[in-house]
C-alpha cells in the first residue's frame, strides 16, 4: 500500500474512532465493529479497491455526523418546544 493511502486509512480510522465515542449503542460496541471492519480488509493491496473502501468509510463518517446532529436537534426541540399546541 502506498504511504499516501496508508496515511488516509489511518486518518479515517482515527476519525471514526473519535466519532464512535458518542455512538448510541456505546463506544465499546462501535470500537469492536470498527476494528473488525478494518481487520477484514487489512490484506488489501489494490489501490483502487483501497480508495473505494476509503470512500465507504467517508460515507460512514457523514452518516454518523448526520445521526449526531439529528440527535442534538431532537434534544433541543424537545427542550424548548412543547408537543401540545395552543
Amino acid at each position: 500500500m502506498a504511504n499516501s493511502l496508508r496515511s488516509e486509512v489511518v486518518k479515517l480510522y482515527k476519525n471514526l474512532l473519535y466519532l464512535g465515542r458518542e455512538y448510541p449503542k456505546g463506544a465499546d460496541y462501535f470500537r469492536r465493529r470498527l476494528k473488525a471492519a478494518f481487520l477484514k480488509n487489512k490484506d488489501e493491496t489494490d489501490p483502487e479497491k483501497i480508495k473505494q473502501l476509503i470512500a465507504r468509510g467517508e460515507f460512514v463518517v457523514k452518516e454518523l455526523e448526520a445521526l449526531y446532529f439529528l440527535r442534538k436537534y431532537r434534544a433541543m426541540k424537545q427542550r424548548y418546544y412543547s408537543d401540545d399546541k395552543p
Side-chain angles (χ1 to χ4, degrees), residues 20-27 29 64 67-68 71:
R21 294 182 312 153
E22 297 179 29
Y23 194 70
K25 288 189 175 184
Y29 172 81
L64 282 172
L67 173 75
Y68 296 154
R71 187 170 63 181

Side-chain angles (χ1 to χ4, degrees), residues 1-58:
M1 177 173 18
N3 284 336
S4 63
L5 289 178
R6 180 176 173 80
S7 64
E8 284 185 51
V9 171
V10 170
K11 186 173 93 172
L12 176 65
Y13 186 81
K14 287 182 178 182
N15 192 12
L16 283 166
L17 199 58
Y18 176 77
L19 287 172
R21 294 182 312 153
E22 297 179 29
Y23 194 70
K25 288 189 175 184
D28 290 334
Y29 172 81
F30 187 85
R31 191 178 310 116
R32 283 193 309 269
R33 297 280 310 262
L34 178 65
K35 185 176 180 180
F38 272 77
L39 285 177
K40 183 176 83 173
N41 297 306
K42 74 176 184 172
D43 295 326
E44 190 62 52
T45 56
D46 181 29
E48 291 303 315
K49 177 70 174 170
I50 294 171
K51 288 177 185 177
Q52 288 176 350
L53 292 168
I54 290 171
R56 182 189 294 169
E58 293 295 335

